[in-house]
DNA sequence: TAGATTGTTAATCGATTAACAATC
DNA sequence: TAGATTGTTAATCGATTAACAATC
């Protein structure tokens, strides 16, 4: 058995390479790509591309580059995108609705299969071609439809409760959009997307950028006093 | 001048501590917190909390812990959240609308100040209490309202163009939700949130989890043959 | 004083990168 | 053969963590 421990940092970049390769294949009709070119498209450096791709195996040709179709297939397979992962969204408010009708998912091969909420208003409503069901039906639905990815799009106060429903129903992968941490058993995969935190981090760098600009300006005035 | 280079990894965790501290202050009415407790709430270990907080200065008391109010103030200030960063959203489709009416932003001190689109259908419409304006008005609007954070919520094909509008208008921080890379000058801060990429990464770990479960099952059968 | 907890050091770990031999 | 480009090594860098002296 190959030693197969792809570093986390590499896994996080594979989808970026995938997108760049799809673009090359579709719009440029290119057949091969060098690490230099792929790096440029992905916004990283060439050494990193080669190192990352080497974890998948030796799929390049020295002096030539990487065969785009073949590399696309290998990355797709490695990421598990050759199979379907039926996905459910819980919490059909503003964000849940936007996610349920988000074209980007279906364009990239993800299909949302079920929507859940626990407010009697939302239940029964049609959103993005699916009928919203009550959260109590989740467990049955997992058994029937083989749901295996759960998306939390509720307010923060319900996030932990929803996560427990997911775990109880046997879902092993959770994408959490609620602004709250959730605790799950160690064999459950959780990723967190936090819109406010992204803005807060951006605020830090914005503040720093402004401070740098102000310092530069102050220096300029000192060197060129009262013109 | 203090040497002031807070590591990126620490900056990314400050908002998580902030949220945990707010929760402690509001719902628990606690006055101090230990690194151990804060670590538990933030889902990290205590050594990391102490190291992270030490970059802000020595704000704890040995034998006691950290004063919650004081730490809240220091983190808020460090993240630049004591000031307003007027924010605009470009691209008023499904996602743009959800972001424009997302309660989580205002609850955490971010106000969306302007919405832009370039389709004649969207322009003039009211969304989340704001009138959608044409993208051509962006530059004037930045000058008038001091907009300094720009959110891209367009389809991928328009992302680079919108980024260039932002840069041209003098915006220095961009949050990009479009599934495409954007190139900007080095003094512009960009963060990328990519919903499909999050699902693709989750797909990788889901596949691995299933493989592990299958291997365990196979082993079990070998050890306990035909019961 | 005894117990608790910080702030910091030093060891460790994982990720990045430059460089270059291998090879198309 | 000459030029191009990979795959891999080894150096470097940054982040994590355990451990503990300092000190409330």
């Amino acid at each position: 058995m190959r030693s197969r421990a792809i570093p986390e940092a590499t896994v996080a970049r594979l989808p970026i390479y995938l997108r760049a390769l799809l673009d090359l294949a579709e719009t440029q009709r290119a057949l091969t790509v060098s690490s230099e070119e792929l790096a440029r498209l992905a916004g990283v450096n060439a050494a990193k591309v080669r190192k990352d791709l080497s974890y998948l195996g030796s799929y390049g040709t020295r002096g030539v580059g990487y065969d785009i179709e073949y590399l696309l297939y290998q990355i797709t397979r490695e990421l598990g995108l050759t199979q379907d992962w039926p996905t459910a969204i819980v919490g059909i408010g503003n964000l849940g609705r936007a996610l349920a009708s988000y074209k980007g998912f279906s364009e990239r091969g993800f299909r949302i299969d079920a929507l859940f909420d626990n407010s009697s208003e939302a239940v029964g409503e049609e959103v993005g071609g699916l009928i919203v069901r009550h959260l109590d039906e989740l467990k049955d639905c997992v058994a029937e439809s083989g749901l295996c990815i759960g998306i939390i799009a509720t307010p923060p106060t319900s996030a932990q409760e929803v996560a427990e429903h997911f775990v109880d129903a046997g879902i092993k992968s959770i994408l959490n959009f609620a602004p709250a941490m959730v605790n799950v058993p160690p064999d459950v995969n959780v990723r967190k997307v936090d819109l406010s935190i992204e803005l807060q981090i951006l605020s830090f760098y914005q503040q720093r950028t402004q401070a740098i600009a102000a310092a530069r300006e102050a220096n300029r005035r000192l060197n060129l006093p009262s013109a």
Side-chain angles (χ1 to χ4, degrees), chain A:
Chain A
M1 208 188 295
R2 188 139 58 88
S3 89
R4 288 304 221 82
I6 302 189
E8 272 189 52
T10 296
V11 172
R13 280 188 297 266
L14 290 180
I16 301 175
Y17 301 146
L18 183 62
R19 176 166 299 158
L21 290 166
L22 282 169
D23 187 53
L24 278 168
E26 283 163 20
T27 74
Q28 323 277 311
R29 304 238 163 268
L31 296 179
T32 63
V33 64
S34 67
S35 58
E36 198 68 55
E37 168 78 347
L38 185 52
R40 197 182 55 72
L41 292 168
V44 300
N45 74 31
K48 200 180 268 175
V49 167
R50 290 199 296 277
K51 186 116 244 247
D52 284 340
L53 297 184
S54 77
Y55 290 111
L56 308 184
S58 298
Y59 297 144
T61 306
R62 287 163 207 243
V64 177
Y66 299 87
D67 181 275
I68 292 177
E69 282 302 325
Y70 189 52
L71 197 51
L72 271 172
Y73 168 70
Q74 291 299 344
I75 294 179
T76 302
R77 191 180 54 84
E78 196 65 52
L79 284 173
L81 303 175
T82 46
Q83 44 198 303
D84 260 10
W85 303 110
T87 299
I89 299 175
V90 175
I92 310 302
N94 262 317
L95 184 62
R97 274 165 223 271
L99 294 173
S101 8
Y102 181 51
K103 299 287 191 305
F105 287 152
S106 47
E107 274 162 22
R108 279 151 234 289
F110 286 96
R111 205 181 58 240
I112 305 296
D113 294 84
L115 307 178
F116 298 93
D117 203 302
N118 59 8
S119 93
S120 43
E121 287 156 49
V123 172
E125 195 185 333
E126 191 200 304
V127 175
L130 293 166
I131 303 292
V132 179
R133 308 173 69 169
H134 194 279
L135 188 52
D136 293 341
E137 299 182 55
L138 174 68
K139 199 166 182 176
D140 292 344
C141 209
V142 169
E144 281 165 34
S145 329
L147 297 174
C148 57
I149 295 182
I151 297 180
I152 302 177
T154 64
T157 44
S158 319
Q160 180 60 39
E161 191 197 327
V162 171
E164 284 162 16
H165 275 276
F166 279 152
V167 170
D168 178 54
I171 281 183
K172 291 277 185 270
S173 296
I174 296 175
L175 184 53
N176 178 20
F177 283 95
M181 303 286 299
V182 298
N183 289 307
V184 295
D187 70 326
V188 176
N189 311 298
V190 180
R191 292 191 66 84
K192 175 132 191 45
V193 175
D194 196 310
L195 308 178
S196 299
I197 284 184
E198 292 300 321
L199 275 184
Q200 292 177 343
I201 297 172
L202 210 46
S203 164
F204 174 89
Y205 290 108
Q206 168 69 21
Q207 174 172 248
R208 203 180 56 176
T209 298
Q210 282 207 352
I212 291 168
R216 213 191 302 280
E217 175 67 9
N219 265 330
R220 196 186 60 76
R221 293 199 182 196
L222 282 174
N223 296 337
L224 302 165
S226 59

